[in-house]
Amino acid sequence: MTLRQQVDAAHRALQDMLLHGKRAGECEADIAVAGNAFLGVACAFFCNVMEFAFSGHESVEQVQAYLEDLKRTYPAELAVLQPGPMAMFVLLEIGPGALPSGQPRVEMPDGLIYQMRLLTEYTAKKEGIVGQQLELYLFGACGRYGLNPW
């Protein structure tokens, strides 16, 4: 499997989940083909959206306040969101000294990946990143991961 094929599969899976509302289970084939590229593109997409909302130089308290407000805006959808730990994670991923996109600094357990997905989806909604613009952020994530999907 080439890197291009893996990135294309990651793009399809994330597009289906984030733009078309499918569940991860419905995208298992593409996620399997994508392998490690799925997490890499997902992390790059997370960074793209978070960098729209934050410069990376905010304090943990500022990011946490934003996430708490986001949770109040979407209480049912973000019931499991943990603003404190996720605020630290956001700054770890986009702040000074962050690794290149697609290379997370920490182990990525399923719970963290799920919170990243929620945070990406609802931050994009709050910031008005929808439709074609969201698709462009996803294409950009493929490029940030190491491949231009065009």
Side-chain angles (χ1 to χ4, degrees), residues 54 56-65 87-88 91:
F54 305 106
H57 296 284
E58 293 84 359
S59 68
V60 172
E61 293 79 17
Q62 289 171 306
V63 176
Q64 184 173 343
M88 290 186 283
L91 291 176

Side-chain angles (χ1 to χ4, degrees), residues 41-54 94 101 120 129 134 136-144:
V41 174
C43 286
F45 185 60
F46 174 81
C47 289
N48 283 353
V49 173
M50 293 301 106
E51 287 170 351
F52 185 90
F54 305 106
I94 69 168
S101 289
T120 303
I129 307 169
L134 190 61
L136 287 174
Y137 275 60
L138 182 53
F139 275 128
C142 294
R144 275 182 98 161

Side-chain angles (χ1 to χ4, degrees), residues 2-150:
T2 68
L3 179 60
R4 175 64 188 227
Q5 291 168 318
Q6 291 172 323
V7 170
D8 286 346
H11 177 263
R12 279 191 308 274
L14 289 165
Q15 182 181 47
D16 283 346
M17 291 176 1
L18 297 167
L19 288 121
H20 303 296
K22 290 186 179 180
R23 295 179 182 261
E26 297 174 84
C27 305
E28 285 179 4
D30 280 329
I31 292 171
V33 169
N36 291 334
F38 178 78
L39 184 55
V41 174
C43 286
F45 185 60
F46 174 81
C47 289
N48 283 353
V49 173
M50 293 301 106
E51 287 170 351
F52 185 90
F54 305 106
S55 71
H57 296 284
E58 293 84 359
S59 68
V60 172
E61 293 79 17
Q62 289 171 306
V63 176
Q64 184 173 343
Y66 177 96
L67 299 183
E68 288 168 351
D69 182 55
L70 188 66
K71 190 171 180 170
R72 280 189 297 276
T73 303
Y74 303 101
E77 298 88 342
L78 297 178
V80 300
L81 182 68
Q82 299 174 350
M86 287 308 290
M88 290 186 283
F89 181 75
V90 167
L91 291 176
L92 185 66
E93 290 299 305
I94 69 168
L99 295 174
S101 289
Q103 299 177 23
R105 292 187 193 202
V106 298
E107 285 297 315
M108 302 294 279
D110 289 343
L112 178 58
I113 295 168
Y114 181 64
Q115 289 211 21
M116 282 175 55
R117 177 186 174 190
L118 289 174
L119 189 51
T120 303
E121 183 176 349
Y122 289 96
T123 298
K125 284 183 183 183
K126 179 176 180 161
E127 298 295 332
I129 307 169
V130 295
Q132 190 174 22
Q133 186 179 9
L134 190 61
E135 177 69 29
L136 287 174
Y137 275 60
L138 182 53
F139 275 128
C142 294
R144 275 182 98 161
Y145 181 68
L147 214 317
N148 188 329
W150 292 296

